Amino acid sequence: MRAAEELRYLILAAQREGNRLLAQALRPLGVTPSQAEVIRVLGEHGPLSLNGLGELLVCESGNSPSRLADRLVTVGLVRRDVPPYDRRAVELSLTEEGVRLGRRIAEVEEEFYRSIDAAAEGRDLGPVLGFLRAFVGDLPAGQALARRL
């Protein structure tokens, strides 16, 4: 197997296993990793337009995460408001319950990051991170992550 092919499958395997583990940890909170990302982004950067939210999400391609937002509005975690400065626009923000859940999601994520830190202990991740930033930098998900940083 050539190095590029192995790299492709290692990235895919890491993404799938990481997402599986995170989904398992989030299950008791009743949210998926994608829903958790929306809640965390709105908690850190909100209120946001639907387009503004889409520009910051890594889990969703494109600029319209309406399906995710609709589900979170339906369950009472996200609120849709019409801002007074533009009656055609819609702003998304967290409800009080969404803020509370966002704190719990942050705790789950912190535990997840500690497990990644433990797996990486003694390894220099700088070159790996540099390569991955360069690899995805011009792609939509890489650009969304760069906007969040």
Side-chain angles (χ1 to χ4, degrees), residues 86-149:
D86 185 354
R87 296 213 174 273
R88 295 170 295 154
V90 172
E91 281 187 341
L92 302 170
S93 59
L94 295 178
T95 63
E96 287 183 30
E97 183 60 29
V99 170
R100 282 191 292 275
L101 184 59
R103 286 190 207 108
R104 295 177 65 200
I105 290 168
E107 292 168 4
V108 167
E109 288 177 341
E110 182 56 35
E111 183 63 31
F112 184 64
Y113 299 147
R114 278 196 288 272
S115 70
I116 294 172
D117 289 339
E121 192 165 338
R123 293 176 171 82
D124 180 9
L125 295 184
V128 174
L129 293 173
F131 169 77
L132 290 173
R133 284 185 197 114
F135 187 68
V136 301
D138 291 333
L139 301 172
Q143 292 170 347
L145 182 57
R147 283 190 284 273
R148 283 169 50 182
L149 300 175

Side-chain angles (χ1 to χ4, degrees), residues 47-60:
L48 292 167
S49 67
L50 195 57
N51 193 39
L53 175 64
E55 290 176 352
L56 297 176
L57 292 179
V58 175
C59 69
E60 224 17 65

Side-chain angles (χ1 to χ4, degrees), residues 2-60:
R2 64 190 272 195
E5 183 180 7
E6 182 180 10
L7 176 63
R8 172 188 167 208
Y9 284 111
L10 285 171
I11 290 170
L12 179 60
Q15 187 275 331
R16 284 195 176 169
E17 292 303 323
N19 205 51
R20 183 185 62 77
L21 291 169
L22 184 57
Q24 184 177 1
L26 290 169
R27 192 166 295 120
L29 302 182
V31 293
T32 66
S34 294
Q35 292 168 339
E37 184 181 359
V38 169
I39 291 167
R40 295 282 284 140
V41 167
L42 284 174
E44 293 174 13
H45 301 280
L48 292 167
S49 67
L50 195 57
N51 193 39
L53 175 64
E55 290 176 352
L56 297 176
L57 292 179
V58 175
C59 69
E60 224 17 65

